[in-house]
PDB file of all heavy atoms in Angstrom:
ATOM      1  N   LEU Y 165     -24.646  24.288  35.816  1.00  0.00           N
ATOM      2  CA  LEU Y 165     -23.652  25.263  36.300  1.00  0.00           C
ATOM      3  C   LEU Y 165     -23.706  25.353  37.843  1.00  0.00           C
ATOM      4  O   LEU Y 165     -24.768  25.139  38.432  1.00  0.00           O
ATOM      5  CB  LEU Y 165     -23.951  26.654  35.672  1.00  0.00           C
ATOM      6  CG  LEU Y 165     -23.203  26.987  34.368  1.00  0.00           C
ATOM      7  CD1 LEU Y 165     -23.446  25.904  33.343  1.00  0.00           C
ATOM      8  CD2 LEU Y 165     -23.601  28.325  33.823  1.00  0.00           C
ATOM      9  N   PRO Y 166     -22.553  25.608  38.424  1.00  0.00           N
ATOM     10  CA  PRO Y 166     -22.518  25.711  39.892  1.00  0.00           C
ATOM     11  C   PRO Y 166     -23.479  26.779  40.383  1.00  0.00           C
ATOM     12  O   PRO Y 166     -23.637  27.820  39.771  1.00  0.00           O
ATOM     13  CB  PRO Y 166     -21.088  26.119  40.178  1.00  0.00           C
ATOM     14  CG  PRO Y 166     -20.311  25.722  38.968  1.00  0.00           C
ATOM     15  CD  PRO Y 166     -21.229  25.830  37.828  1.00  0.00           C
ATOM     16  N   PHE Y 167     -24.123  26.517  41.533  1.00  0.00           N
ATOM     17  CA  PHE Y 167     -25.019  27.468  42.197  1.00  0.00           C
ATOM     18  C   PHE Y 167     -26.327  27.703  41.421  1.00  0.00           C
ATOM     19  O   PHE Y 167     -27.070  28.543  41.814  1.00  0.00           O
ATOM     20  CB  PHE Y 167     -24.323  28.807  42.480  1.00  0.00           C
ATOM     21  CG  PHE Y 167     -23.003  28.621  43.181  1.00  0.00           C
ATOM     22  CD1 PHE Y 167     -21.830  28.838  42.464  1.00  0.00           C
ATOM     23  CD2 PHE Y 167     -22.952  28.219  44.494  1.00  0.00           C
ATOM     24  CE1 PHE Y 167     -20.594  28.693  43.103  1.00  0.00           C
ATOM     25  CE2 PHE Y 167     -21.703  28.041  45.106  1.00  0.00           C
ATOM     26  CZ  PHE Y 167     -20.528  28.260  44.439  1.00  0.00           C
ATOM     27  N   ALA Y 168     -26.537  26.966  40.343  1.00  0.00           N
ATOM     28  CA  ALA Y 168     -27.803  27.176  39.594  1.00  0.00           C
ATOM     29  C   ALA Y 168     -28.929  26.365  40.218  1.00  0.00           C
ATOM     30  O   ALA Y 168     -28.703  25.325  40.832  1.00  0.00           O
ATOM     31  CB  ALA Y 168     -27.613  26.783  38.140  1.00  0.00           C
ATOM     32  N   ARG Y 169     -30.128  26.872  40.041  1.00  0.00           N
ATOM     33  CA  ARG Y 169     -31.332  26.236  40.523  1.00  0.00           C
ATOM     34  C   ARG Y 169     -32.174  25.809  39.326  1.00  0.00           C
ATOM     35  O   ARG Y 169     -32.257  26.530  38.364  1.00  0.00           O
ATOM     36  CB  ARG Y 169     -32.134  27.240  41.381  1.00  0.00           C
ATOM     37  CG  ARG Y 169     -33.407  26.776  41.943  1.00  0.00           C
ATOM     38  CD  ARG Y 169     -34.213  27.914  42.510  1.00  0.00           C
ATOM     39  NE  ARG Y 169     -33.445  28.720  43.483  1.00  0.00           N
ATOM     40  CZ  ARG Y 169     -33.957  29.716  44.139  1.00  0.00           C
ATOM     41  NH1 ARG Y 169     -35.179  30.113  43.976  1.00  0.00           N
ATOM     42  NH2 ARG Y 169     -33.210  30.401  45.009  1.00  0.00           N
ATOM     43  N   SER Y 170     -32.721  24.635  39.362  1.00  0.00           N
ATOM     44  CA  SER Y 170     -33.580  24.156  38.240  1.00  0.00           C
ATOM     45  C   SER Y 170     -34.905  24.892  38.221  1.00  0.00           C
ATOM     46  O   SER Y 170     -35.610  24.924  39.248  1.00  0.00           O
ATOM     47  CB  SER Y 170     -33.782  22.634  38.323  1.00  0.00           C
ATOM     48  OG  SER Y 170     -34.629  22.246  37.266  1.00  0.00           O
ATOM     49  N   MET Y 171     -35.263  25.435  37.125  1.00  0.00           N
ATOM     50  CA  MET Y 171     -36.566  26.157  36.944  1.00  0.00           C
ATOM     51  C   MET Y 171     -36.973  26.040  35.473  1.00  0.00           C
ATOM     52  O   MET Y 171     -36.873  26.978  34.731  1.00  0.00           O
ATOM     53  CB  MET Y 171     -36.338  27.603  37.354  1.00  0.00           C
ATOM     54  CG  MET Y 171     -37.535  28.505  37.298  1.00  0.00           C
ATOM     55  SD  MET Y 171     -38.721  28.218  38.621  1.00  0.00           S
ATOM     56  CE  MET Y 171     -37.761  28.651  40.063  1.00  0.00           C
ATOM     57  N   PRO Y 172     -37.431  24.829  35.114  1.00  0.00           N
ATOM     58  CA  PRO Y 172     -37.729  24.597  33.688  1.00  0.00           C
ATOM     59  C   PRO Y 172     -38.746  25.610  33.153  1.00  0.00           C
ATOM     60  O   PRO Y 172     -39.663  25.997  33.882  1.00  0.00           O
ATOM     61  CB  PRO Y 172     -38.378  23.200  33.700  1.00  0.00           C
ATOM     62  CG  PRO Y 172     -37.819  22.528  34.941  1.00  0.00           C
ATOM     63  CD  PRO Y 172     -37.670  23.668  35.937  1.00  0.00           C
ATOM     64  N   LEU Y 173     -38.502  26.043  31.940  1.00  0.00           N
ATOM     65  CA  LEU Y 173     -39.375  27.047  31.338  1.00  0.00           C
ATOM     66  C   LEU Y 173     -40.822  26.700  31.449  1.00  0.00           C
ATOM     67  O   LEU Y 173     -41.681  27.554  31.718  1.00  0.00           O
ATOM     68  CB  LEU Y 173     -38.993  27.264  29.869  1.00  0.00           C
ATOM     69  CG  LEU Y 173     -39.744  28.323  29.103  1.00  0.00           C
ATOM     70  CD1 LEU Y 173     -39.496  29.689  29.775  1.00  0.00           C
ATOM     71  CD2 LEU Y 173     -39.303  28.377  27.659  1.00  0.00           C
ATOM     72  N   ALA Y 174     -41.124  25.369  31.291  1.00  0.00           N
ATOM     73  CA  ALA Y 174     -42.526  24.933  31.338  1.00  0.00           C
ATOM     74  C   ALA Y 174     -43.177  25.190  32.667  1.00  0.00           C
ATOM     75  O   ALA Y 174     -44.384  25.316  32.736  1.00  0.00           O
ATOM     76  CB  ALA Y 174     -42.561  23.441  30.982  1.00  0.00           C
ATOM     77  N   GLU Y 175     -42.349  25.268  33.740  1.00  0.00           N
ATOM     78  CA  GLU Y 175     -42.920  25.467  35.066  1.00  0.00           C
ATOM     79  C   GLU Y 175     -42.791  26.885  35.600  1.00  0.00           C
ATOM     80  O   GLU Y 175     -43.245  27.203  36.659  1.00  0.00           O
ATOM     81  CB  GLU Y 175     -42.238  24.544  36.076  1.00  0.00           C
ATOM     82  CG  GLU Y 175     -42.390  23.077  35.717  1.00  0.00           C
ATOM     83  CD  GLU Y 175     -41.499  22.180  36.629  1.00  0.00           C
ATOM     84  OE1 GLU Y 175     -41.096  22.652  37.708  1.00  0.00           O
ATOM     85  OE2 GLU Y 175     -41.240  21.054  36.235  1.00  0.00           O
ATOM     86  N   LEU Y 176     -42.074  27.702  34.795  1.00  0.00           N
ATOM     87  CA  LEU Y 176     -41.650  29.027  35.311  1.00  0.00           C
ATOM     88  C   LEU Y 176     -42.851  29.858  35.797  1.00  0.00           C
ATOM     89  O   LEU Y 176     -42.840  30.403  36.893  1.00  0.00           O
ATOM     90  CB  LEU Y 176     -40.926  29.759  34.190  1.00  0.00           C
ATOM     91  CG  LEU Y 176     -40.412  31.144  34.580  1.00  0.00           C
ATOM     92  CD1 LEU Y 176     -39.430  31.065  35.713  1.00  0.00           C
ATOM     93  CD2 LEU Y 176     -39.731  31.836  33.370  1.00  0.00           C
ATOM     94  N   LYS Y 177     -43.907  29.964  34.970  1.00  0.00           N
ATOM     95  CA  LYS Y 177     -45.048  30.831  35.340  1.00  0.00           C
ATOM     96  C   LYS Y 177     -45.690  30.399  36.671  1.00  0.00           C
ATOM     97  O   LYS Y 177     -46.139  31.239  37.439  1.00  0.00           O
ATOM     98  CB  LYS Y 177     -46.081  30.850  34.230  1.00  0.00           C
ATOM     99  CG  LYS Y 177     -45.635  31.641  33.009  1.00  0.00           C
ATOM    100  CD  LYS Y 177     -46.686  31.716  31.976  1.00  0.00           C
ATOM    101  CE  LYS Y 177     -46.161  32.496  30.726  1.00  0.00           C
ATOM    102  NZ  LYS Y 177     -47.026  32.253  29.522  1.00  0.00           N
ATOM    103  N   ARG Y 178     -45.712  29.078  36.886  1.00  0.00           N
ATOM    104  CA  ARG Y 178     -46.336  28.551  38.122  1.00  0.00           C
ATOM    105  C   ARG Y 178     -45.489  28.805  39.348  1.00  0.00           C
ATOM    106  O   ARG Y 178     -45.956  28.859  40.455  1.00  0.00           O
ATOM    107  CB  ARG Y 178     -46.509  27.020  37.970  1.00  0.00           C
ATOM    108  CG  ARG Y 178     -47.921  26.647  37.487  1.00  0.00           C
ATOM    109  CD  ARG Y 178     -48.038  25.131  37.411  1.00  0.00           C
ATOM    110  NE  ARG Y 178     -47.549  24.574  36.165  1.00  0.00           N
ATOM    111  CZ  ARG Y 178     -46.707  23.573  36.097  1.00  0.00           C
ATOM    112  NH1 ARG Y 178     -46.279  22.939  37.161  1.00  0.00           N
ATOM    113  NH2 ARG Y 178     -46.273  23.127  34.904  1.00  0.00           N
ATOM    114  N   ARG Y 179     -44.117  28.920  39.120  1.00  0.00           N
ATOM    115  CA  ARG Y 179     -43.259  28.952  40.255  1.00  0.00           C
ATOM    116  C   ARG Y 179     -42.585  30.343  40.469  1.00  0.00           C
ATOM    117  O   ARG Y 179     -41.523  30.454  41.096  1.00  0.00           O
ATOM    118  CB  ARG Y 179     -42.163  27.861  40.064  1.00  0.00           C
ATOM    119  CG  ARG Y 179     -42.741  26.485  40.060  1.00  0.00           C
ATOM    120  CD  ARG Y 179     -41.716  25.443  39.733  1.00  0.00           C
ATOM    121  NE  ARG Y 179     -40.499  25.558  40.563  1.00  0.00           N
ATOM    122  CZ  ARG Y 179     -39.407  24.775  40.394  1.00  0.00           C
ATOM    123  NH1 ARG Y 179     -39.379  23.857  39.425  1.00  0.00           N
ATOM    124  NH2 ARG Y 179     -38.346  24.934  41.136  1.00  0.00           N
ATOM    125  N   LEU Y 180     -43.226  31.365  39.960  1.00  0.00           N
ATOM    126  CA  LEU Y 180     -42.617  32.720  40.072  1.00  0.00           C
ATOM    127  C   LEU Y 180     -42.406  33.111  41.510  1.00  0.00           C
ATOM    128  O   LEU Y 180     -41.478  33.863  41.805  1.00  0.00           O
ATOM    129  CB  LEU Y 180     -43.559  33.740  39.372  1.00  0.00           C
ATOM    130  CG  LEU Y 180     -43.552  33.662  37.833  1.00  0.00           C
ATOM    131  CD1 LEU Y 180     -44.678  34.564  37.275  1.00  0.00           C
ATOM    132  CD2 LEU Y 180     -42.208  34.047  37.314  1.00  0.00           C
ATOM    133  N   ALA Y 181     -43.235  32.605  42.405  1.00  0.00           N
ATOM    134  CA  ALA Y 181     -43.155  32.998  43.820  1.00  0.00           C
ATOM    135  C   ALA Y 181     -41.809  32.617  44.424  1.00  0.00           C
ATOM    136  O   ALA Y 181     -41.323  33.222  45.416  1.00  0.00           O
ATOM    137  CB  ALA Y 181     -44.272  32.340  44.618  1.00  0.00           C
ATOM    138  N   GLU Y 182     -41.135  31.640  43.824  1.00  0.00           N
ATOM    139  CA  GLU Y 182     -39.892  31.145  44.380  1.00  0.00           C
ATOM    140  C   GLU Y 182     -38.727  32.120  44.077  1.00  0.00           C
ATOM    141  O   GLU Y 182     -37.593  31.972  44.574  1.00  0.00           O
ATOM    142  CB  GLU Y 182     -39.508  29.761  43.802  1.00  0.00           C
ATOM    143  CG  GLU Y 182     -40.507  28.699  44.136  1.00  0.00           C
ATOM    144  CD  GLU Y 182     -40.206  27.356  43.462  1.00  0.00           C
ATOM    145  OE1 GLU Y 182     -39.001  27.096  43.259  1.00  0.00           O
ATOM    146  OE2 GLU Y 182     -41.151  26.660  43.100  1.00  0.00           O
TER     147      GLU Y 182
END
Side-chain angles (χ1 to χ4, degrees):
Chain Y
L165 267 54
F167 310 107
R169 178 190 307 183
S170 176
M171 181 74 62
L173 183 60
E175 300 171 19
L176 182 61
K177 285 184 185 165
R178 265 182 275 132
R179 295 174 51 185
L180 287 171
E182 300 174 31

